[in-house]
Amino acid sequence: MMEYGMTRVGAAVPSVKVADVKYNVEQIELQIVEAEKKGVQVLVFPELSLTGYSCQDLFEQRLLTVEAEKGVEALKEFTRDKQLAVIVGIPVDTGKLLLNCAAVVSGGKLVTLVPKTYLPNYGEFYEKRWFASAQDINDGETVCYAGDSIELTKKPVVFQLASGVKFGVEICEDLWAPVPPSNHLALAGADIVFNLSASDELIGKHDYLKALLAQQSARTMSAYVYSSCGFGESTQDVVYGGNAIIYENGKLMAEGERFAFKPQMMIADIDVEMLRSERRRNTTFVNAQRNEKPDKVFQAPQPPKGERGELSIVNCQLSIDECLYRTIDPHPFIPKSEDMQRSCEEIFNIQVAGLAKRLVHTQSKTAIIGISGGLDSTLALLVCVKTFDKLGYDRKGIVGVTMPGFGTTDRTYHNAVSLMQSLGITIREINIAKAVMQHFEDIGHDPKVHDVAYENAQARERTQILMDLTNEVGGLVVGTGDLSELALGWATYNGDHMSMYGVNAGIPKTLIRYLVRYVAESGVDDQSRETLMDIIDTPISPELIPADEQGNIRQKTEDLVGPYELHDFFLYHTLRYGFRPRKIFWMARHAFKETYDRETIKKWLTTFFRRFFSQQFKRSCLPDGPKVGSVSLSPRGDWRMPSDASSALWLDECEQL
């Protein structure tokens, strides 16, 4: 799957018997077989998984450490024909020190040993009673273990798969330290961090653990794969819940069942390409890398070219029909249901704060806004009303202008008027038909020809009215165009494309319905709520072409440019991560597999890139407007692109899909 930047990882919690190495190895081998069948490339087991974590003073028994070494030899042989790397926990007797180690085994070889750095010695944990720290090692010291000569190091170790993906390992308490080894691993290029753990269960500890994992993966912009001891460990004084948890840049990807009595394994596909994109864009991360000394980490040895063995794993290639161990959100701009109320409130307040500053700065208590009865102008009006209320301004200072034209339907007209009435703003109605017909006569256009000139003349007439009316009464024109329209160029240049402040500039089309619904359910009177709910259900249309014989909207935007949920998906992954068309197509086929076939996705993806490139000239001269999310098209901030850039590379790849 590295063709699409994905790496499949697993966190396994095997059945365990304390001090029974043979049994534990057999259980680990069963999960290795299962993992390989599912295409896992790196699989991590809990801390001291070959012996059990809770052996206590038995760790000082020579028989146990010798059998653990034999267990590693058995795993080496078992993985000789396996296409994955395995990370297991073992006690290692170097002759001078007893170390709590992670053994990385792949292709019949022990790649290296990673000793634990931070040993807890408080509460129920007394690891210093048995183990030495990695800090006690003399760098460069060599130990012969399980038939391989291993160079021990106190430094964090970075491994590399044949695909180029890098990962590192830390052990349990290492994560809880003020400066975890994973900090250095990430700055040295590790995309994924694996943690072998043995954290016991206490009231409230699990929530803290998950917060710690989420924060560490987010702070290091990495994936974090955590496996902790479970059922079978001694319950003499504490209980181990068996946590298998995977995070990616702060987002929970997979989580196993706590207190399960059977073995379990959680699998996730990590988007390494996305993680690397995030790191490149984040100057703070790049600067931190610059300050990191190269000698703070140890690069694990790689096999000579052509040799089988150390981490030379065949890439897992999945077809579109095979199982994907991650959820690809079809609506990346829309908050999850549990966060919907809070997120909508935050977004709406950003819009309100942006407009309030502009009104105060211009010393204006008047806002002019065109009201069509559609979603975009409705949201902009709601922002104006909330802003005026918070500033203590009279709502009559909001001048809502409805401008019926050739395509205006009764439904949108009545919704526009009704909403303005119930919200208590100043209403102006100016029919544009006569002015546009005069304009057609002036330029010699046949009004029976419903072409681009026919449509754009109406949009520019409306903008002219708003601008001139603003000069007449003072104040500023509030723009209604949204982020999705800016991406597709679905706006008339110097028409609805222009305003004095665009409050919706950072809001994608798929999100607007949710914002309007949020206001309808929490911040307006009953009459306004009823109107808003009907506006939400109205088809999206510029209404520039006359209605059908029944008076219904004939010109539906999504029939012309494609479904906005697809375009918003394309937009998010193009701007947020810089993904190429091939990957976006692959992701879209997973995300929308129940909704659109591959031909439909390809058609609108091609449309998206064609329009996105050709319409940049409109975005290059956008009015000011607030950014509300991680994706923005402001030419002054997040997106700077030549208006005459060629789309050939992108369209060629679309054709080859």
Side-chain angles (χ1 to χ4, degrees):
M1 284 193 304
M2 273 309 294
E3 178 185 5
Y4 301 110
M6 301 282 182
T7 298
R8 182 162 294 177
V9 299
V13 181
S15 177
V16 64
K17 290 184 179 180
V18 178
D20 190 339
V21 175
K22 183 178 180 181
Y23 174 84
N24 295 337
V25 169
E26 289 173 351
Q27 296 302 307
I28 287 171
E29 289 176 349
L30 289 175
Q31 290 191 300
I32 290 174
V33 171
E34 180 186 354
E36 188 188 32
K37 287 179 180 178
K38 294 180 177 179
V40 172
Q41 293 170 273
V42 186
L43 180 65
V44 64
F45 289 89
E47 185 175 7
L48 295 167
S49 44
L50 260 66
T51 60
Y53 176 78
S54 49
C55 290
Q56 300 187 52
D57 283 354
L58 292 178
F59 286 123
E60 295 179 343
Q61 295 293 309
R62 179 65 177 155
L63 177 61
L64 186 65
T65 56
V66 168
E67 288 302 311
E69 185 172 356
K70 290 181 180 178
V72 174
E73 290 177 343
L75 288 177
K76 283 175 52 180
E77 184 60 32
F78 188 76
T79 62
R80 190 170 298 280
D81 62 346
K82 302 290 188 296
Q83 292 296 328
L84 78 168
V86 177
I87 309 170
V88 296
I90 52 171
V92 174
D93 183 356
T94 70
K96 295 186 293 185
L97 302 171
L98 183 63
L99 300 172
N100 180 346
C101 288
V104 181
V105 180
S106 177
K109 288 181 179 278
L110 172 61
V111 182
T112 197
L113 298 168
V114 180
K116 187 173 183 176
T117 301
Y118 297 103
L119 305 176
N121 214 48
Y122 54 86
E124 63 276 18
F125 297 108
Y126 296 98
E127 286 189 29
K128 287 187 177 181
R129 180 181 174 95
W130 313 293
F131 297 109
S133 164
Q135 295 168 333
D136 298 320
I137 295 171
N138 295 319
D139 266 334
E141 183 178 342
T142 301
V143 60
C144 183
Y145 192 83
D148 286 304
S149 180
I150 302 297
E151 181 181 348
L152 296 176
T153 176
K154 65 182 65 178
K155 303 170 186 174
V157 183
V158 176
F159 302 86
Q160 182 169 311
L161 302 178
S163 61
V165 172
K166 294 183 178 181
F167 71 88
V169 177
E170 62 185 4
I171 303 174
C172 198
E173 188 78 6
D174 290 348
L175 170 64
W176 301 69
V179 183
S182 50
N183 286 13
H184 303 296
L185 290 168
L187 292 174
D191 307 293
I192 308 169
V193 176
F194 294 88
N195 187 311
L196 306 81
S197 188
S199 183
D200 63 338
E201 298 295 336
L202 300 171
I203 295 174
K205 186 177 180 181
H206 185 70
D207 290 340
Y208 185 87
L209 169 66
K210 289 184 66 176
L212 193 63
L213 295 172
Q215 282 294 315
Q216 188 64 2
S217 70
R219 183 180 297 108
T220 58
M221 297 184 183
S222 65
Y224 204 99
V225 187
Y226 179 91
S227 173
S228 185
C229 298
F231 188 75
E233 289 287 354
S234 172
T235 58
Q236 184 175 18
D237 290 303
V238 295
V239 169
Y240 298 91
N243 285 300
I245 308 173
I246 304 174
Y247 277 91
E248 179 188 83
N249 197 22
K251 178 183 177 183
L252 181 63
M253 303 296 291
E255 181 178 12
E257 177 189 354
R258 293 172 69 204
F259 304 111
F261 294 168
K262 295 181 179 180
Q264 59 179 319
M265 178 165 54
M266 301 310 297
I267 300 173
D269 290 318
I270 302 302
D271 194 337
V272 173
E273 183 181 0
M274 179 271 289
L275 293 172
R276 291 178 176 179
S277 172
E278 290 282 71
R279 289 177 175 182
R280 286 194 305 270
R281 291 160 57 97
N282 189 296
T283 56
T284 300
F285 189 90
V286 173
N287 289 336
Q289 283 184 308
R290 188 177 297 119
N291 295 329
E292 183 78 357
K293 294 181 180 178
D295 61 357
K296 280 189 178 179
V297 297
F298 178 76
Q299 300 288 335
Q302 292 296 300
K305 189 174 182 180
E307 277 196 17
R308 178 166 173 72
E310 305 161 9
L311 303 173
S312 56
I313 299 166
V314 174
N315 291 337
C316 173
Q317 299 291 346
L318 287 186
S319 74
I320 187 66
D321 299 317
E322 292 185 87
C323 179
L324 184 67
Y325 287 91
R326 71 182 286 125
T327 299
I328 298 178
D329 188 354
H331 305 114
F333 286 114
I334 299 175
K336 300 300 168 283
S337 57
E338 60 271 17
D339 298 325
M340 183 65 71
Q341 180 81 5
R342 180 180 56 83
S343 296
C344 286
E345 180 181 9
E346 188 171 26
I347 293 167
F348 193 66
N349 283 333
I350 290 172
Q351 293 178 278
V352 168
L355 179 58
K357 167 61 180 176
R358 187 53 53 98
L359 290 169
V360 170
H361 176 73
T362 57
Q363 299 181 352
S364 175
K365 294 188 177 181
T366 305
I368 313 298
I369 180 170
I371 306 299
S372 67
L375 277 169
D376 289 353
S377 65
T378 296
L379 178 59
L381 174 57
L382 295 172
V383 170
C384 288
V385 169
K386 181 68 171 180
T387 304
F388 271 58
D389 288 351
K390 290 193 73 171
L391 289 174
Y393 293 176
D394 186 346
R395 287 190 183 183
K396 290 297 182 181
I398 304 171
V399 181
V401 187
T402 180
M403 295 168 280
F406 306 130
T408 303
T409 60
D410 289 343
R411 181 179 185 180
T412 55
Y413 170 77
H414 288 306
N415 278 339
V417 174
S418 174
L419 186 62
M420 290 189 287
Q421 288 174 340
S422 61
L423 291 175
I425 70 169
T426 299
I427 303 174
R428 292 287 300 269
E429 180 174 336
I430 303 174
N431 193 300
I432 66 168
K434 184 177 179 180
V436 174
M437 289 301 289
Q438 179 62 53
H439 181 61
F440 288 160
E441 183 178 337
D442 292 341
I443 66 173
H445 181 78
D446 183 354
K448 294 180 182 179
V449 179
H450 297 166
D451 58 5
V452 175
Y454 178 89
E455 295 185 13
N456 286 349
Q458 298 173 68
R460 292 195 178 101
E461 178 61 27
R462 288 179 170 126
T463 301
Q464 175 180 252
I465 289 171
L466 294 174
M467 290 291 182
D468 292 347
L469 188 59
T470 300
N471 294 150
E472 180 72 21
V473 302
L476 54 85
V477 176
V478 176
T480 62
D482 63 59
L483 181 66
S484 306
E485 292 178 344
L486 294 175
L488 296 170
W490 193 251
T492 299
Y493 191 73
N494 203 33
D496 52 318
H497 155 262
M498 193 48 59
S499 68
M500 295 172 180
Y501 194 73
V503 293
N504 292 342
I507 312 292
K509 188 73 78 175
T510 50
L511 180 56
I512 288 181
R513 272 193 172 91
Y514 292 89
L515 289 168
V516 172
R517 188 182 299 275
Y518 155 74
V519 179
E521 293 174 348
S522 62
V524 294
D525 59 276
D526 291 342
Q527 183 181 341
S528 296
R529 181 179 301 110
E530 183 179 343
T531 305
L532 290 174
M533 299 311 291
D534 191 64
I535 291 172
I536 288 171
D537 293 333
T538 303
I540 299 169
S541 172
E543 293 194 321
L544 298 174
I545 299 296
D548 62 20
E549 286 117 5
Q550 289 76 41
N552 297 318
I553 294 172
R554 183 198 301 268
Q555 188 183 30
K556 296 180 181 179
T557 298
E558 292 182 290
D559 292 343
L560 302 172
V561 295
Y564 272 117
E565 63 177 350
L566 281 179
H567 286 307
D568 282 357
F569 183 89
F570 303 152
L571 173 66
Y572 181 85
H573 292 287
T574 298
L575 265 63
R576 186 74 174 84
Y577 304 119
F579 290 161
R580 61 192 299 172
R582 182 174 62 181
K583 178 167 182 174
I584 296 174
F585 178 67
W586 178 79
M587 294 176 70
R589 289 174 65 194
H590 275 287
F592 296 99
K593 60 185 176 184
E594 305 296 333
T595 313
Y596 303 105
D597 59 31
R598 59 180 297 155
E599 289 74 19
T600 301
I601 295 172
K602 175 181 176 179
K603 171 186 175 181
W604 296 122
L605 182 63
T606 305
T607 297
F608 171 80
F609 279 110
R610 177 176 55 79
R611 293 193 65 97
F612 185 77
F613 274 81
S614 68
Q615 301 296 299
Q616 172 62 26
F617 73 99
K618 295 178 183 176
R619 300 188 291 267
S620 294
C621 54
L622 284 178
D624 293 354
K627 175 181 177 179
V628 302
S630 58
V631 172
S632 168
L633 285 168
S634 168
R636 297 165 293 277
D638 291 70
W639 187 250
R640 305 183 188 189
M641 170 184 170
S643 297
D644 48 8
S646 172
S647 59
L649 287 176
W650 287 261
L651 295 180
D652 285 349
E653 182 155 297
C654 286
E655 281 300 310
Q656 296 167 17
L657 295 174

